[in-house]
Amino acid sequence: DEVLSEDNIGECDALLIAINPKDTVEFLNSHAQMISRKTLVIDCCGTKRTVCAEGSRLAEKYGFTFVGGHPMAGTHKSGFSNSSGDMFIGAPMVLVPPVFDDIQLLDRVKKVLDPLGFGFLHVMTAEKHDSVVAFTSQLAHVVSNAYIKSPTAREHKGASAGSYKDLTRVAWLDPGMWADLFICNRDNLLRELDTIIASLGQYRDALEAEDFPALRELLREGKKAKEEVDGP
Amino acid sequence: DEVLSEDNIGECDALLIAINPKDTVEFLNSHAQMISRKTLVIDCCGTKRTVCAEGSRLAEKYGFTFVGGHPMAGTHKSGFSNSSGDMFIGAPMVLVPPVFDDIQLLDRVKKVLDPLGFGFLHVMTAEKHDSVVAFTSQLAHVVSNAYIKSPTAREHKGASAGSYKDLTRVAWLDPGMWADLFICNRDNLLRELDTIIASLGQYRDALEAEDFPALRELLREGKKAKEEVDGP
């Protein structure tokens, strides 16, 4: 119940670091030697490979325990003034432990996170996390941000419904934070961007050719994919 | 309070046609001569240029009144069994009248639509409607349908949040209906598809080049566009 400082950082049972990936790595490097061997350190970054590699390296060197974390919750608004006490209730929390068979460690993490009310703790590798998040979150933010740039956006008043609202909700974002996250996960996000650009090109070409059966088939495939992943 | 038939169609005060554009044009052509001069005909198609041109032509020829309509509501499910009595409450309704200065006509339309509880009636030209809807609705459906096709979609379980849900909600759609609507509005939707594909390519190139300032600037522009259109 005090402000964290270099004087008391060595007394923490748990340390949750909720800043950008670059800053997290910097913070860990400059503070690792002050962290006690009994401290559990969990980061909250949206990409995991870089941070977990550095966290694990420093944990091994200085003796504390490091577990990667990504609380998958939040709004399009950022900063402390937009935080809320119930933001994580029911939300998924991804955990990237240094080993996957240490039940005691996972139990310790669970106890620390318990008051936040996460709906489910998902344990996965940093590689898997970054691959999946490039699709579920990063691509969503790029597409939404690109979507709203159409000049037609300025004329739409009065002729839009739920689909417009959904597609453009996360267009309003923190540019610096997301640019940082994107570059941290460059390979995966490039793969997803190339995939959707190629896919959109297929609809575009079928439409240009006025090829009704091809267009219907492309839409049918997407409907089927959605149904297989999330149900009808 | 009877089923509409060729026997009673001539007695209707108002006739709302809620079928696909192609079928609407066909229905109007085969029934125009049975429609009374006192009947107000409103279609409910998602594209307006073709249907309104044909509706106006037949209205002039046979003496009834035709107004184009697009109730901007609904879910991703289609068919009569998915209809509901309160679907239109608060939703926008776009109207395309044959002339824009006939207050009595608009009042007549308003009275007919009143029981449905639309939130607002927007009067616009068929051209403007089709241009705007290509962006607010048709593009949203194509992008959502393309989005879910990434092979990563099948692995995402447990690592997704609101942005994924929003981006893929309308991926599940009626392929035949939408392919029909897209082809009816080919020029406008092609313009929007070309715009977003080019825009996504800019983020892609900045990311490939690991150009942080360029990526941040692209995101900042999108944030600004969203804010200007919908507020922060």
Coordinates of all heavy atoms in Angstrom, one line a residue, chain A residues 110-148:
Chain A
K110 N -1.9 -18.1 -9.7 CA -3.4 -18.1 -9.6 C -3.8 -17.3 -8.3 O -4.7 -16.5 -8.3 CB -3.9 -19.5 -9.5 CG -5.4 -19.6 -9.8 CD -5.8 -21.1 -9.7 CE -7.4 -21.1 -9.4 NZ -7.8 -20.4 -8.2
K111 N -3.1 -17.5 -7.2 CA -3.4 -16.9 -5.9 C -3.2 -15.4 -6.0 O -3.9 -14.6 -5.5 CB -2.6 -17.5 -4.8 CG -3.2 -18.8 -4.3 CD -2.7 -19.2 -2.9 CE -3.4 -20.5 -2.5 NZ -2.4 -21.7 -2.6
V112 N -2.1 -15.0 -6.7 CA -1.8 -13.6 -6.8 C -2.8 -12.8 -7.7 O -3.2 -11.7 -7.4 CB -0.3 -13.4 -7.4 CG1 -0.1 -12.0 -8.0 CG2 0.7 -13.7 -6.4
L113 N -3.3 -13.5 -8.8 CA -4.2 -12.9 -9.7 C -5.7 -13.0 -9.2 O -6.5 -12.3 -9.8 CB -4.1 -13.5 -11.1 CG -2.7 -13.3 -11.8 CD1 -2.7 -14.1 -13.1 CD2 -2.4 -11.9 -12.0
D114 N -5.9 -13.8 -8.3 CA -7.3 -14.1 -7.8 C -8.2 -12.9 -7.6 O -9.3 -12.8 -8.1 CB -7.3 -15.0 -6.6 CG -8.4 -15.9 -6.6 OD1 -8.8 -16.4 -7.7 OD2 -9.0 -16.2 -5.5
P115 N -7.7 -11.9 -6.9 CA -8.5 -10.7 -6.6 C -9.0 -9.9 -7.9 O -9.9 -9.2 -7.8 CB -7.6 -9.8 -5.7 CG -6.5 -10.7 -5.2 CD -6.3 -11.7 -6.2
L116 N -8.3 -10.2 -9.0 CA -8.7 -9.4 -10.2 C -9.9 -10.0 -10.9 O -10.5 -9.4 -11.8 CB -7.5 -9.3 -11.1 CG -6.3 -8.5 -10.6 CD1 -5.1 -8.6 -11.5 CD2 -6.7 -7.1 -10.4
G117 N -10.2 -11.3 -10.6 CA -11.4 -11.9 -11.1 C -11.4 -12.3 -12.5 O -12.4 -12.4 -13.2
F118 N -10.2 -12.7 -13.1 CA -10.1 -13.1 -14.5 C -11.1 -14.3 -14.7 O -11.3 -15.2 -13.8 CB -8.7 -13.6 -14.8 CG -7.8 -12.4 -15.1 CD1 -6.8 -12.1 -14.1 CD2 -8.0 -11.6 -16.2 CE1 -6.0 -11.0 -14.3 CE2 -7.1 -10.5 -16.4 CZ -6.1 -10.2 -15.5
G119 N -11.7 -14.4 -15.8 CA -12.6 -15.5 -16.1 C -11.9 -16.8 -16.4 O -12.4 -17.9 -16.1
F120 N -10.6 -16.8 -16.9 CA -9.9 -18.0 -17.2 C -8.4 -17.6 -17.4 O -8.1 -16.6 -17.9 CB -10.5 -18.6 -18.5 CG -10.2 -20.1 -18.6 CD1 -11.1 -21.0 -17.9 CD2 -9.1 -20.6 -19.2 CE1 -10.9 -22.3 -18.0 CE2 -8.9 -22.0 -19.2 CZ -9.8 -22.8 -18.6
L121 N -7.6 -18.5 -16.9 CA -6.1 -18.4 -17.1 C -5.7 -19.4 -18.2 O -5.9 -20.6 -18.0 CB -5.4 -18.6 -15.8 CG -5.8 -17.8 -14.6 CD1 -5.0 -18.2 -13.3 CD2 -5.6 -16.3 -14.8
H122 N -5.2 -18.8 -19.3 CA -4.7 -19.7 -20.4 C -3.2 -19.8 -20.4 O -2.6 -18.7 -20.5 CB -5.2 -19.1 -21.7 CG -6.7 -19.1 -21.8 ND1 -7.4 -20.1 -22.2 CD2 -7.6 -18.1 -21.6 CE1 -8.7 -19.8 -22.2 NE2 -8.8 -18.5 -21.8
V123 N -2.7 -21.0 -20.2 CA -1.2 -21.1 -20.3 C -0.8 -21.5 -21.7 O -1.3 -22.4 -22.3 CB -0.8 -22.2 -19.3 CG1 0.7 -22.5 -19.4 CG2 -1.2 -21.8 -17.9
M124 N 0.1 -20.7 -22.2 CA 0.6 -21.0 -23.6 C 2.1 -20.5 -23.8 O 2.6 -19.8 -22.9 CB -0.3 -20.4 -24.7 CG -0.5 -18.9 -24.7 SD -1.6 -18.4 -26.0 CE -3.2 -18.8 -25.3
T125 N 2.7 -20.9 -24.9 CA 4.0 -20.4 -25.1 C 4.0 -19.0 -25.6 O 3.0 -18.6 -26.2 CB 4.8 -21.3 -26.2 OG1 4.0 -21.2 -27.4 CG2 4.8 -22.8 -25.8
A126 N 5.1 -18.3 -25.5 CA 5.2 -16.9 -26.0 C 5.0 -16.9 -27.5 O 4.3 -16.0 -28.1 CB 6.5 -16.3 -25.7
E127 N 5.5 -17.9 -28.2 CA 5.4 -18.0 -29.7 C 3.9 -18.1 -30.1 O 3.4 -17.5 -31.0 CB 6.2 -19.2 -30.2 CG 7.7 -19.1 -30.2 CD 8.3 -19.1 -28.8 OE1 7.6 -19.7 -27.8 OE2 9.3 -18.5 -28.6
K128 N 3.2 -19.1 -29.4 CA 1.8 -19.3 -29.7 C 1.0 -18.0 -29.4 O 0.1 -17.6 -30.2 CB 1.3 -20.4 -28.9 CG -0.2 -20.7 -28.9 CD -0.7 -21.5 -30.0 CE -2.2 -21.8 -29.9 NZ -2.6 -22.7 -30.9
H129 N 1.2 -17.4 -28.3 CA 0.5 -16.2 -27.9 C 0.7 -15.1 -29.0 O -0.3 -14.5 -29.4 CB 1.0 -15.6 -26.6 CG 0.6 -14.2 -26.3 ND1 1.2 -13.1 -26.8 CD2 -0.5 -13.8 -25.6 CE1 0.6 -12.0 -26.4 NE2 -0.5 -12.4 -25.7
D130 N 1.9 -14.9 -29.4 CA 2.2 -13.8 -30.3 C 1.6 -14.0 -31.7 O 1.1 -13.1 -32.4 CB 3.7 -13.6 -30.5 CG 4.3 -12.9 -29.3 OD1 3.5 -12.6 -28.3 OD2 5.5 -12.6 -29.2
S131 N 1.5 -15.3 -32.1 CA 0.9 -15.7 -33.4 C -0.6 -15.4 -33.3 O -1.2 -14.8 -34.2 CB 1.2 -17.2 -33.7 OG 0.5 -17.6 -34.8
V132 N -1.2 -15.9 -32.2 CA -2.7 -15.7 -32.1 C -3.1 -14.3 -31.9 O -4.0 -13.8 -32.6 CB -3.2 -16.6 -30.9 CG1 -4.6 -16.2 -30.5 CG2 -3.1 -18.1 -31.3
V133 N -2.3 -13.5 -31.1 CA -2.7 -12.2 -30.8 C -2.5 -11.3 -32.1 O -3.2 -10.3 -32.2 CB -1.9 -11.7 -29.6 CG1 -1.7 -10.2 -29.6 CG2 -2.7 -12.0 -28.3
A134 N -1.6 -11.6 -32.9 CA -1.4 -10.9 -34.2 C -2.8 -10.9 -34.9 O -3.2 -9.9 -35.6 CB -0.3 -11.5 -35.1
F135 N -3.5 -12.0 -34.9 CA -4.7 -12.2 -35.6 C -5.9 -11.6 -34.8 O -6.7 -10.8 -35.3 CB -5.0 -13.7 -35.8 CG -6.4 -13.9 -36.3 CD1 -6.8 -13.5 -37.6 CD2 -7.3 -14.6 -35.5 CE1 -8.1 -13.8 -38.0 CE2 -8.6 -14.9 -35.9 CZ -9.0 -14.4 -37.1
T136 N -6.0 -12.0 -33.5 CA -7.2 -11.6 -32.7 C -7.3 -10.1 -32.3 O -8.3 -9.6 -32.2 CB -7.4 -12.4 -31.5 OG1 -6.3 -12.3 -30.6 CG2 -7.6 -13.9 -31.8
S137 N -6.1 -9.5 -32.1 CA -6.1 -8.2 -31.6 C -5.4 -7.2 -32.5 O -5.9 -6.1 -32.9 CB -5.5 -8.2 -30.2 OG -5.3 -6.9 -29.7
Q138 N -4.1 -7.5 -32.9 CA -3.4 -6.5 -33.6 C -4.0 -6.2 -35.0 O -4.2 -5.1 -35.4 CB -1.9 -6.9 -33.7 CG -1.2 -7.1 -32.3 CD 0.2 -7.3 -32.4 OE1 0.7 -7.9 -33.4 NE2 1.0 -6.9 -31.4
L139 N -4.3 -7.3 -35.7 CA -4.9 -7.2 -37.0 C -6.2 -6.4 -36.9 O -6.5 -5.5 -37.8 CB -5.2 -8.5 -37.7 CG -5.8 -8.5 -39.1 CD1 -4.8 -7.9 -40.1 CD2 -6.1 -9.9 -39.6
A140 N -7.0 -6.7 -35.9 CA -8.3 -6.0 -35.7 C -8.1 -4.5 -35.6 O -8.8 -3.7 -36.1 CB -9.0 -6.5 -34.4
H141 N -7.0 -4.1 -34.9 CA -6.7 -2.6 -34.7 C -6.3 -2.0 -36.0 O -6.7 -0.9 -36.3 CB -5.7 -2.4 -33.6 CG -6.4 -2.6 -32.2 ND1 -6.6 -3.9 -31.7 CD2 -6.9 -1.7 -31.3 CE1 -7.2 -3.7 -30.5 NE2 -7.4 -2.4 -30.2
V142 N -5.4 -2.7 -36.8 CA -5.0 -2.1 -38.1 C -6.2 -2.0 -39.0 O -6.4 -1.0 -39.6 CB -3.9 -3.0 -38.7 CG1 -3.5 -2.5 -40.1 CG2 -2.7 -3.2 -37.8
V143 N -7.0 -3.1 -39.1 CA -8.1 -3.1 -40.1 C -9.1 -2.0 -39.7 O -9.5 -1.2 -40.6 CB -8.8 -4.4 -40.1 CG1 -10.1 -4.4 -40.9 CG2 -7.8 -5.5 -40.8
S144 N -9.4 -1.9 -38.4 CA -10.3 -0.9 -38.0 C -9.8 0.6 -38.2 O -10.5 1.4 -38.7 CB -10.6 -1.1 -36.5 OG -11.6 -0.3 -36.0
N145 N -8.5 0.8 -38.0 CA -7.9 2.0 -38.2 C -7.8 2.4 -39.7 O -8.0 3.6 -40.1 CB -6.5 2.0 -37.6 CG -5.8 3.3 -37.4 OD1 -5.1 3.8 -38.2 ND2 -6.1 4.0 -36.2
A146 N -7.6 1.4 -40.5 CA -7.6 1.6 -42.0 C -9.0 1.9 -42.5 O -9.2 2.7 -43.4 CB -7.0 0.4 -42.7
Y147 N -10.0 1.1 -41.9 CA -11.4 1.2 -42.4 C -11.9 2.6 -42.4 O -12.5 3.1 -43.3 CB -12.2 0.3 -41.5 CG -13.6 -0.1 -42.1 CD1 -13.8 -1.3 -42.6 CD2 -14.6 0.9 -42.1 CE1 -15.1 -1.7 -43.1 CE2 -15.9 0.5 -42.6 CZ -16.1 -0.7 -43.1 OH -17.3 -1.1 -43.6
I148 N -11.7 3.3 -41.3 CA -12.3 4.6 -41.0 C -11.6 5.7 -41.9 O -12.2 6.8 -42.1 CB -12.1 5.0 -39.5 CG1 -13.0 6.2 -39.2 CG2 -10.7 5.3 -39.2 CD1 -14.5 5.9 -39.2

